[in-house]
Amino acid sequence: MLKTQLRKAFDTKGFDPGASSLKILLWYFTSVIFIRSGIIPFSSIIVFILKLFGAKIGKDVRIKPGIYIHYPWKLSLGDHSWLAECRIENLAPVTIGANACVSQKAMLLTGNHDYASVNFDLITKPIVLEEGTWVGANATVCPGVTLKSHAVLTVGSVATKNLEPYSIYKGDPAIKIKDRIIKG
């Protein structure tokens, strides 16, 4: 029986960070000092900094201090979206639609490892949160998952597969518990 052989230089399957080493280094220090530290309490300034580093951000977006974004140039945010103090591990693109919300301590995880590979090779897949979706506090969205229009992933839940539109999901792995009915 084969065993996993962890090495610092594992197979990244041609992974491309999408930026130069200098840009990645500049982002790291900018993120640590200004974004993740909470020293800048104003969403508009955080949005401005993210745009400088290549994030595509719509109008009237709210981003809380303390957020972690691995690569802003792989992030797209629709109009009126809200991001609390969450973690966006975007080795692959993350697209968040208009009027979507990602709550505190939630994680959007685009990278993982192939547990069936002796070398524990890297796997990356994009995440899409369509319009009106909500990722609850401490919830996790796994690589390759799409939350379809107005889907909800409740507190502490883990989305390992796509969530259907106008549905509420709960658990680990998340399962549909009911329809989402929005009242006017």
Side-chain angles (χ1 to χ4, degrees), residues 48-123:
F48 175 77
I49 292 170
L50 289 170
K51 284 181 175 181
L52 282 178
F53 280 92
K56 294 171 189 73
I57 302 176
K59 63 182 178 186
D60 195 33
V61 170
R62 298 183 58 83
I63 301 175
K64 297 283 188 165
I67 192 170
Y68 175 92
I69 298 169
H70 199 81
Y71 294 141
W73 47 90
K74 292 188 176 192
L75 179 64
S76 178
L77 301 171
D79 296 342
H80 313 290
S81 55
W82 294 359
L83 300 179
E85 185 183 342
C86 60
R87 186 171 187 94
I88 301 176
E89 288 283 351
N90 57 335
L91 301 178
V94 169
T95 303
I96 299 173
N99 301 295
C101 177
V102 181
S103 295
Q104 51 274 47
K105 307 298 183 205
M107 184 179 340
L108 306 182
L109 182 65
T110 63
N112 206 341
H113 293 276
D114 182 356
Y115 60 80
S117 164
V118 69
N119 297 319
F120 213 48
D121 300 335
L122 179 67
I123 300 169

Side-chain angles (χ1 to χ4, degrees), residues 136-148:
N138 288 310
T140 301
V141 178
C142 293
V145 171
T146 295
L147 275 67
K148 298 198 176 164

Side-chain angles (χ1 to χ4, degrees), residues 128-140:
V128 176
L129 307 181
E130 292 182 357
E131 181 179 5
T133 56
W134 180 17
V135 177
N138 288 310
T140 301

